[in-house]
Amino acid sequence: MKPLRKGNVEMILHGSLWRAILAIAVPVVINSFLQTLYNLTDTYWLGRIGAEPLAAISLITPVQNAIVNFGSGFTVAGAVLIAQFTGAGKRGDAEKMANQIFVCAMAFSLLCVAVLETFTPAVVRWLGAEGETMRHAVWYMRVVALDIPFLFMLNLFQSVRQAQGDTVRPMFLNLLGISINMALDPLLMVVWPLGAAGAALATVIAKMVPALMAIRLLSRRSAEIRLQRALMRPEGDKLRQVVRIGLPSSLGGCAMQLGFLLMSRNVFAYGVEAMAAYGIGNKVNGLISLPSNAIGSATATIVGQNMGAGQIKRAEKGYHLSVVMATVFLFAGGMILSRPFISRAIVSIFATDESVIAMAADFLSVMAFWCWTNGMHNATNGLFQGSGHTEVCMAVEASRLWILRFATLFLCENVLHMGVRSVWYSVVVSNGISAAVLFCLYLTGLWKKNRVMQAKAE
């Protein structure tokens, strides 16, 4: 049996932890930024050709996100399980797990394609679309549904590589995909006026090319963890582990998307300007949080490998370092971006309406001032994911949106009478409390019970 390639794995298990965090996190930041460019590119060109195609995509994107988030539970499970088996030096188990997850992900993605192709008109009609908007929405959803298997292939590749400490190759494949998308969008939407269907077709092709390359790389004999047809026969114990680790992440992702939908409905009650300001603030906050999210991903990999190797103290040390790095970075950046003249200058890039700019700048200032709590949240989330306790992450995420956020919103609106600022503070208060809850759960030591290796021993 060929030994795993050294380098990042050795650094994670025995080398400098801060270098390991940066080696994993920096490519993840770039990768996440490239992912956002898919949506930004489509939005830019659709905005050029008309309001109906843009409205159509905005309408059905939450449905698409809910399905993708549910399916991503398989790849979250993959990253956790493969990382722990890698840290334990059990390459055979890691390879079997990768193959089992591939089968699960492909089966689920094909089921999603069949469901969307069948029920898309009914779903779009239920969402309230009609006329040209409905036509564009149906075409877009039916075409972009073909993207799901390729998306899961890329996610699997990223999970396998990240579990081994390699986040660079997934970054380059994403760079290839966004380059193809940027080239095809104007061609399929402007030169050949296919509207929303053109945007969907460009996305499918842009995912298909790197996805097939990813599967080819995973199937090579030289790959440390490779896909093999002989290992794809379903194994009950492996599938049970995938479900136990992945299902909480899947349910948590769906709960988040539904919570965001309901939150948007509450924001819209304050008017179109408030909705626009809310969207701008969230987009900018998403960019600010990219490094913190990446450190959270790095934490999950480092904790997973060290837990698999039985190095609990080193896993905890990696977590402590991640908390400090993420929190300090967001605190420093937040203090700068929360200055009114800076937040106003940033949101002015995305809006020209004075009332929208004023509300968006206020929202961004509030979020930026308190964004350091996200550093603690993301790092601690990574700790529980890496140790296999994804049910903790699911419970906290669902509570953050469905209990804490709406409770704070109700209090600020009906007791404190804060108006639209009730929305802003419901976001930061719920984020801060959920970070504190996660940290308290860390102090209980629950994360030290390694569910992956426990199940393996049984």
Side-chain angles (χ1 to χ4, degrees), residues 35 37-43 46 49 52-65 68 113 116-117 120-121 124 127 132-148 151 181 185 188-189 194-204 207:
Q35 289 280 11
L37 289 182
Y38 276 104
N39 293 331
L40 291 175
T41 304
D42 287 350
T43 300
L46 285 168
I49 63 176
E52 287 84 3
L54 188 57
I57 290 185
S58 299
L59 182 69
I60 61 177
T61 292
V63 178
Q64 182 186 0
N65 288 344
V68 171
V113 172
L116 288 174
E117 294 297 338
T120 284
V124 173
L127 287 170
E132 281 297 294
T133 300
M134 180 173 178
R135 185 178 70 83
H136 283 293
V138 170
W139 268 107
Y140 181 83
M141 181 70 92
R142 280 183 161 169
V143 175
V144 86
L146 303 174
D147 158 71
I148 295 175
L151 175 63
N181 193 56
D185 266 351
L188 297 178
M189 284 191 276
L194 299 179
L201 183 59
T203 298
V204 171
K207 289 279 174 59

Coordinates of all heavy atoms in Angstrom, one line a residue, residues 35 37-43 46 49 52-65 68 113 116-117 120-121 124 127 132-148 151 181 185 188-189 194-204 207:
Q35 N -15.8 31.5 -6.4 CA -17.2 31.0 -6.4 C -18.2 32.2 -6.5 O -19.2 32.1 -7.2 CB -17.5 30.2 -5.2 CG -16.8 28.8 -5.1 CD -17.5 27.8 -6.0 OE1 -18.4 28.1 -6.8 NE2 -17.1 26.6 -5.8
L37 N -17.8 34.9 -8.0 CA -17.8 35.5 -9.3 C -18.7 34.9 -10.3 O -19.2 35.5 -11.2 CB -16.3 35.4 -9.9 CG -15.3 36.4 -9.2 CD1 -14.0 36.2 -9.9 CD2 -15.7 37.8 -9.2
Y38 N -19.1 33.6 -10.0 CA -20.1 33.0 -10.9 C -21.4 33.8 -10.8 O -22.0 34.2 -11.9 CB -20.4 31.6 -10.4 CG -19.4 30.5 -10.9 CD1 -18.5 30.0 -10.1 CD2 -19.6 30.0 -12.2 CE1 -17.6 29.0 -10.6 CE2 -18.7 29.1 -12.7 CZ -17.7 28.5 -11.9 OH -16.9 27.6 -12.3
N39 N -21.9 34.1 -9.6 CA -23.1 34.8 -9.5 C -23.0 36.3 -9.9 O -23.9 36.8 -10.6 CB -23.6 34.8 -8.0 CG -24.0 33.4 -7.6 OD1 -24.4 32.6 -8.4 ND2 -23.8 33.1 -6.3
L40 N -21.8 36.9 -9.6 CA -21.7 38.3 -10.0 C -21.6 38.5 -11.5 O -22.2 39.4 -12.0 CB -20.4 38.8 -9.4 CG -20.4 39.0 -7.8 CD1 -19.0 39.4 -7.3 CD2 -21.4 40.0 -7.4
T41 N -21.0 37.5 -12.2 CA -20.9 37.6 -13.6 C -22.3 37.4 -14.3 O -22.7 38.2 -15.2 CB -20.0 36.5 -14.2 OG1 -18.7 36.6 -13.6 CG2 -19.8 36.6 -15.7
D42 N -23.0 36.4 -13.8 CA -24.4 36.2 -14.3 C -25.3 37.5 -14.0 O -26.0 37.9 -14.9 CB -25.0 35.0 -13.7 CG -24.5 33.7 -14.2 OD1 -23.7 33.7 -15.2 OD2 -24.8 32.6 -13.6
T43 N -25.2 38.0 -12.8 CA -26.0 39.2 -12.5 C -25.6 40.4 -13.3 O -26.5 41.1 -13.8 CB -25.7 39.5 -11.0 OG1 -26.1 38.4 -10.2 CG2 -26.6 40.7 -10.6
L46 N -27.0 39.7 -17.0 CA -28.5 39.6 -17.0 C -29.1 41.0 -16.8 O -30.1 41.4 -17.3 CB -29.0 38.7 -15.9 CG -28.9 37.2 -16.2 CD1 -29.1 36.4 -15.0 CD2 -29.8 36.8 -17.3
I49 N -29.4 42.8 -20.0 CA -30.4 42.4 -21.1 C -31.9 42.6 -20.6 O -32.8 42.4 -21.5 CB -30.1 40.9 -21.5 CG1 -30.3 40.0 -20.4 CG2 -28.8 40.8 -22.1 CD1 -30.2 38.5 -20.8
E52 N -36.6 41.1 -16.4 CA -37.3 39.8 -16.2 C -36.3 38.6 -16.0 O -36.5 37.8 -15.0 CB -38.2 39.5 -17.4 CG -39.5 40.3 -17.5 CD -39.2 41.6 -18.1 OE1 -38.1 41.9 -18.6 OE2 -40.2 42.4 -18.2
P53 N -35.2 38.5 -16.8 CA -34.3 37.4 -16.5 C -33.6 37.5 -15.2 O -33.4 36.5 -14.5 CB -33.3 37.6 -17.7 CG -34.0 38.3 -18.8 CD -34.9 39.2 -18.0
L54 N -33.3 38.8 -14.8 CA -32.6 39.0 -13.5 C -33.6 38.6 -12.3 O -33.2 38.0 -11.4 CB -32.1 40.4 -13.4 CG -31.3 40.8 -12.2 CD1 -30.0 39.9 -12.1 CD2 -30.9 42.2 -12.2
A55 N -34.8 39.0 -12.5 CA -35.8 38.7 -11.4 C -36.0 37.2 -11.4 O -36.2 36.7 -10.3 CB -37.1 39.4 -11.7
A56 N -36.0 36.6 -12.5 CA -36.3 35.1 -12.6 C -35.2 34.4 -11.8 O -35.5 33.5 -11.0 CB -36.3 34.6 -14.0
I57 N -33.9 34.7 -12.0 CA -32.9 34.1 -11.3 C -32.9 34.4 -9.8 O -32.7 33.5 -8.9 CB -31.5 34.4 -11.9 CG1 -31.4 33.8 -13.2 CG2 -30.3 34.0 -11.0 CD1 -30.0 34.0 -13.9
S58 N -33.2 35.6 -9.4 CA -33.3 36.0 -8.0 C -34.4 35.2 -7.3 O -34.3 34.8 -6.1 CB -33.5 37.5 -7.9 OG -32.5 38.3 -8.5
L59 N -35.5 35.0 -8.0 CA -36.6 34.3 -7.5 C -36.3 32.8 -7.1 O -36.7 32.3 -6.0 CB -37.8 34.3 -8.4 CG -39.1 33.7 -8.0 CD1 -39.7 34.5 -6.9 CD2 -40.1 33.6 -9.2
I60 N -35.6 32.1 -8.0 CA -35.4 30.7 -7.8 C -34.1 30.3 -7.2 O -33.9 29.1 -6.8 CB -35.6 29.9 -9.1 CG1 -34.6 30.4 -10.1 CG2 -37.0 30.1 -9.6 CD1 -34.7 29.6 -11.4
T61 N -33.2 31.3 -7.0 CA -31.9 30.9 -6.4 C -32.0 30.3 -5.1 O -31.3 29.3 -4.8 CB -31.0 32.2 -6.4 OG1 -30.7 32.6 -7.7 CG2 -29.7 31.9 -5.6
P62 N -32.9 30.8 -4.1 CA -33.0 30.1 -2.8 C -33.4 28.6 -3.0 O -32.9 27.8 -2.2 CB -34.1 30.9 -2.1 CG -34.0 32.2 -2.7 CD -33.7 32.0 -4.2
V63 N -34.2 28.3 -3.9 CA -34.6 26.9 -4.1 C -33.4 26.1 -4.5 O -33.1 25.0 -4.0 CB -35.7 26.8 -5.2 CG1 -36.1 25.3 -5.5 CG2 -36.9 27.5 -4.8
Q64 N -32.6 26.6 -5.5 CA -31.4 25.9 -5.9 C -30.4 25.8 -4.8 O -29.8 24.7 -4.6 CB -30.8 26.8 -7.1 CG -29.5 26.2 -7.7 CD -28.9 27.1 -8.7 OE1 -29.4 28.2 -9.0 NE2 -27.8 26.7 -9.3
N65 N -30.3 26.9 -4.0 CA -29.3 26.8 -2.9 C -29.7 25.8 -1.8 O -28.9 25.1 -1.2 CB -29.2 28.2 -2.2 CG -28.5 29.2 -3.1 OD1 -27.8 28.8 -4.0 ND2 -28.6 30.5 -2.8
V68 N -28.7 22.4 -3.1 CA -27.2 22.3 -3.1 C -26.7 22.1 -1.7 O -25.8 21.3 -1.4 CB -26.5 23.5 -3.8 CG1 -25.1 23.4 -3.6 CG2 -26.9 23.4 -5.3
V113 N -31.8 16.1 -10.3 CA -32.0 16.5 -11.7 C -33.4 16.1 -12.1 O -34.2 16.8 -12.7 CB -30.9 15.9 -12.6 CG1 -31.3 16.2 -14.1 CG2 -29.6 16.6 -12.3
L116 N -36.2 18.2 -10.4 CA -36.3 19.6 -10.9 C -36.8 19.6 -12.3 O -37.6 20.5 -12.7 CB -34.9 20.2 -10.8 CG -34.4 20.6 -9.4 CD1 -33.0 21.1 -9.5 CD2 -35.3 21.6 -8.8
E117 N -36.4 18.7 -13.1 CA -36.9 18.7 -14.5 C -38.4 18.4 -14.5 O -39.1 19.0 -15.4 CB -36.2 17.6 -15.3 CG -34.7 17.8 -15.6 CD -34.4 19.1 -16.3 OE1 -35.3 19.5 -17.1 OE2 -33.3 19.6 -16.2
T120 N -40.3 21.7 -11.9 CA -39.9 23.1 -12.0 C -41.1 24.1 -12.3 O -41.3 25.1 -11.6 CB -38.8 23.3 -13.0 OG1 -37.6 22.9 -12.4 CG2 -38.6 24.8 -13.4
P121 N -41.9 23.8 -13.3 CA -43.0 24.7 -13.6 C -43.9 24.9 -12.4 O -44.3 26.1 -12.1 CB -43.8 24.0 -14.7 CG -42.8 23.2 -15.4 CD -41.9 22.7 -14.3
V124 N -42.1 27.1 -9.7 CA -42.0 28.5 -10.1 C -43.4 29.2 -10.0 O -43.5 30.4 -9.6 CB -41.4 28.6 -11.6 CG1 -41.5 30.1 -12.1 CG2 -40.0 28.1 -11.6
L127 N -44.1 30.0 -6.5 CA -43.3 31.2 -6.0 C -43.9 32.5 -6.5 O -43.5 33.6 -6.1 CB -41.9 31.1 -6.5 CG -41.0 30.0 -5.8 CD1 -39.7 29.9 -6.5 CD2 -40.8 30.4 -4.4
E132 N -43.2 36.6 -18.6 CA -41.9 36.5 -19.0 C -41.0 36.0 -17.9 O -40.0 35.2 -18.1 CB -41.3 37.8 -19.6 CG -41.8 38.1 -21.0 CD -41.2 37.0 -22.0 OE1 -40.0 37.0 -22.2 OE2 -42.0 36.3 -22.6
T133 N -41.3 36.5 -16.7 CA -40.4 36.1 -15.6 C -40.6 34.6 -15.3 O -39.6 33.9 -15.1 CB -40.9 36.8 -14.3 OG1 -40.7 38.2 -14.5 CG2 -40.0 36.4 -13.1
M134 N -41.8 34.0 -15.4 CA -41.9 32.6 -15.3 C -41.2 31.8 -16.4 O -40.6 30.8 -16.1 CB -43.4 32.2 -15.3 CG -43.7 30.7 -15.1 SD -45.4 30.3 -14.9 CE -45.3 28.5 -14.8
R135 N -41.3 32.3 -17.6 CA -40.7 31.6 -18.7 C -39.2 31.5 -18.5 O -38.6 30.4 -18.7 CB -41.0 32.3 -20.0 CG -40.5 31.6 -21.3 CD -40.9 32.3 -22.5 NE -40.2 33.6 -22.7 CZ -39.0 33.7 -23.2 NH1 -38.3 32.6 -23.6 NH2 -38.4 34.9 -23.3
H136 N -38.6 32.6 -18.2 CA -37.1 32.6 -17.9 C -36.8 31.8 -16.7 O -35.8 31.1 -16.8 CB -36.7 34.1 -17.7 CG -36.6 34.9 -18.9 ND1 -35.6 34.7 -19.9 CD2 -37.3 36.0 -19.3 CE1 -35.8 35.6 -20.9 NE2 -36.8 36.4 -20.5
A137 N -37.6 31.8 -15.7 CA -37.3 31.0 -14.5 C -37.3 29.5 -14.8 O -36.5 28.8 -14.3 CB -38.3 31.4 -13.3
V138 N -38.3 29.1 -15.5 CA -38.4 27.7 -15.9 C -37.3 27.2 -16.7 O -36.7 26.2 -16.4 CB -39.8 27.4 -16.6 CG1 -39.8 26.0 -17.1 CG2 -40.9 27.6 -15.6
W139 N -36.9 28.0 -17.7 CA -35.8 27.6 -18.6 C -34.5 27.6 -17.8 O -33.7 26.6 -17.9 CB -35.7 28.6 -19.7 CG -36.4 28.2 -21.0 CD1 -37.5 28.8 -21.5 CD2 -36.0 27.2 -21.9 NE1 -37.9 28.2 -22.6 CE2 -37.0 27.2 -22.9 CE3 -35.0 26.3 -21.9 CZ2 -36.9 26.3 -23.9 CZ3 -34.9 25.4 -23.0 CH2 -35.9 25.4 -24.0
Y140 N -34.3 28.6 -16.9 CA -33.1 28.6 -16.1 C -33.0 27.4 -15.2 O -31.9 26.8 -15.2 CB -33.0 29.9 -15.3 CG -31.7 30.1 -14.5 CD1 -30.6 30.6 -15.1 CD2 -31.7 29.7 -13.2 CE1 -29.4 30.7 -14.4 CE2 -30.5 29.8 -12.4 CZ -29.4 30.3 -13.0 OH -28.2 30.4 -12.3
M141 N -34.0 27.1 -14.5 CA -34.0 26.1 -13.5 C -33.8 24.7 -14.2 O -33.0 23.9 -13.7 CB -35.3 26.0 -12.7 CG -35.3 24.9 -11.6 SD -34.2 25.3 -10.3 CE -35.2 26.1 -9.1
R142 N -34.4 24.5 -15.3 CA -34.3 23.2 -16.0 C -32.9 23.0 -16.6 O -32.4 21.9 -16.6 CB -35.4 23.1 -17.1 CG -36.7 22.7 -16.5 CD -37.8 22.5 -17.5 NE -38.9 21.7 -17.1 CZ -40.1 21.6 -17.7 NH1 -40.2 22.2 -18.9 NH2 -41.0 20.8 -17.2
V143 N -32.3 24.1 -17.1 CA -31.0 24.0 -17.6 C -29.9 23.9 -16.5 O -29.0 23.0 -16.5 CB -30.6 25.1 -18.6 CG1 -29.2 25.1 -19.0 CG2 -31.6 25.1 -19.8
V144 N -30.0 24.7 -15.5 CA -29.0 24.8 -14.5 C -29.1 23.5 -13.6 O -28.1 23.2 -12.9 CB -29.1 26.0 -13.6 CG1 -30.1 25.9 -12.5 CG2 -27.8 26.5 -13.1
A145 N -30.2 22.8 -13.6 CA -30.3 21.5 -12.9 C -29.2 20.5 -13.3 O -28.7 19.7 -12.5 CB -31.7 20.9 -13.0
L146 N -28.9 20.6 -14.6 CA -27.9 19.7 -15.2 C -26.5 20.0 -14.6 O -25.6 19.1 -14.7 CB -27.8 19.8 -16.7 CG -29.1 19.6 -17.4 CD1 -29.0 19.9 -18.9 CD2 -29.6 18.2 -17.2
D147 N -26.3 21.1 -13.9 CA -25.1 21.5 -13.3 C -24.8 20.7 -12.0 O -23.7 20.6 -11.5 CB -25.1 23.0 -13.0 CG -24.1 23.4 -12.0 OD1 -22.9 23.4 -12.2 OD2 -24.6 23.8 -10.9
I148 N -25.9 20.2 -11.3 CA -25.7 19.6 -10.0 C -24.7 18.4 -9.9 O -23.9 18.4 -9.0 CB -27.1 19.2 -9.5 CG1 -28.0 20.5 -9.3 CG2 -27.0 18.5 -8.1 CD1 -29.4 20.2 -8.9
L151 N -21.3 19.9 -10.0 CA -21.0 20.6 -8.8 C -20.6 19.7 -7.7 O -19.6 19.9 -7.0 CB -22.2 21.4 -8.4 CG -22.1 22.2 -7.1 CD1 -21.0 23.2 -7.1 CD2 -23.4 22.9 -6.7
N181 N -16.8 30.6 -17.6 CA -18.1 31.2 -17.4 C -18.1 32.7 -17.8 O -19.0 33.2 -18.5 CB -18.4 31.2 -15.9 CG -19.9 31.6 -15.6 OD1 -20.8 31.0 -16.2 ND2 -20.1 32.5 -14.8
D185 N -20.7 33.8 -20.8 CA -21.8 34.6 -20.5 C -22.2 35.6 -21.5 O -23.4 35.6 -22.0 CB -21.6 35.3 -19.1 CG -22.2 34.5 -18.0 OD1 -22.9 33.5 -18.2 OD2 -21.9 34.9 -16.8
L188 N -23.4 33.7 -24.8 CA -24.7 33.0 -24.8 C -25.9 33.9 -24.4 O -27.0 33.6 -24.6 CB -24.6 31.8 -23.8 CG -23.7 30.8 -24.2 CD1 -23.7 29.6 -23.1 CD2 -24.0 30.2 -25.6
M189 N -25.6 35.1 -23.8 CA -26.7 36.0 -23.4 C -26.8 37.2 -24.3 O -27.9 37.8 -24.4 CB -26.5 36.4 -22.0 CG -26.8 35.4 -21.0 SD -26.9 36.0 -19.3 CE -25.2 35.9 -18.8
L194 N -29.9 34.1 -25.5 CA -30.7 33.0 -24.9 C -31.2 33.4 -23.6 O -31.9 32.6 -22.9 CB -29.7 31.8 -24.8 CG -29.2 31.2 -26.1 CD1 -28.3 30.0 -25.8 CD2 -30.3 30.8 -27.0
G195 N -30.9 34.6 -23.1 CA -31.5 35.1 -21.8 C -31.0 34.3 -20.6 O -29.8 33.9 -20.5
A196 N -31.9 34.0 -19.7 CA -31.6 33.3 -18.5 C -31.1 31.9 -18.8 O -30.2 31.3 -18.1 CB -32.8 33.2 -17.6
A197 N -31.6 31.2 -19.9 CA -31.2 29.9 -20.3 C -29.7 30.0 -20.7 O -28.9 29.0 -20.4 CB -32.0 29.4 -21.4
G198 N -29.3 31.1 -21.3 CA -27.9 31.2 -21.7 C -27.0 31.3 -20.5 O -25.9 30.7 -20.4
A199 N -27.4 32.0 -19.4 CA -26.7 32.1 -18.2 C -26.5 30.7 -17.6 O -25.5 30.3 -17.1 CB -27.3 33.1 -17.2
A200 N -27.6 29.9 -17.6 CA -27.6 28.6 -17.0 C -26.7 27.7 -17.8 O -25.9 26.9 -17.2 CB -29.0 28.0 -17.0
L201 N -26.8 27.8 -19.1 CA -25.9 26.9 -20.0 C -24.4 27.2 -19.8 O -23.6 26.3 -19.7 CB -26.3 27.1 -21.4 CG -25.6 26.2 -22.5 CD1 -25.8 24.7 -22.1 CD2 -26.1 26.5 -23.9
A202 N -24.1 28.5 -19.7 CA -22.7 28.9 -19.4 C -22.2 28.3 -18.1 O -21.1 27.8 -18.0 CB -22.6 30.4 -19.4
T203 N -23.1 28.3 -17.0 CA -22.7 27.8 -15.7 C -22.5 26.3 -15.8 O -21.5 25.8 -15.3 CB -23.8 28.1 -14.7 OG1 -24.0 29.5 -14.6 CG2 -23.5 27.5 -13.4
V204 N -23.4 25.6 -16.6 CA -23.2 24.1 -16.7 C -21.9 23.8 -17.4 O -21.2 22.9 -16.9 CB -24.4 23.5 -17.5 CG1 -24.2 22.1 -17.8 CG2 -25.7 23.7 -16.7
K207 N -18.9 24.4 -15.2 CA -18.7 23.4 -14.1 C -18.3 22.1 -14.7 O -17.5 21.3 -14.1 CB -20.0 23.3 -13.3 CG -20.3 24.5 -12.4 CD -19.6 24.5 -11.1 CE -19.8 25.7 -10.3 NZ -21.2 26.0 -10.0

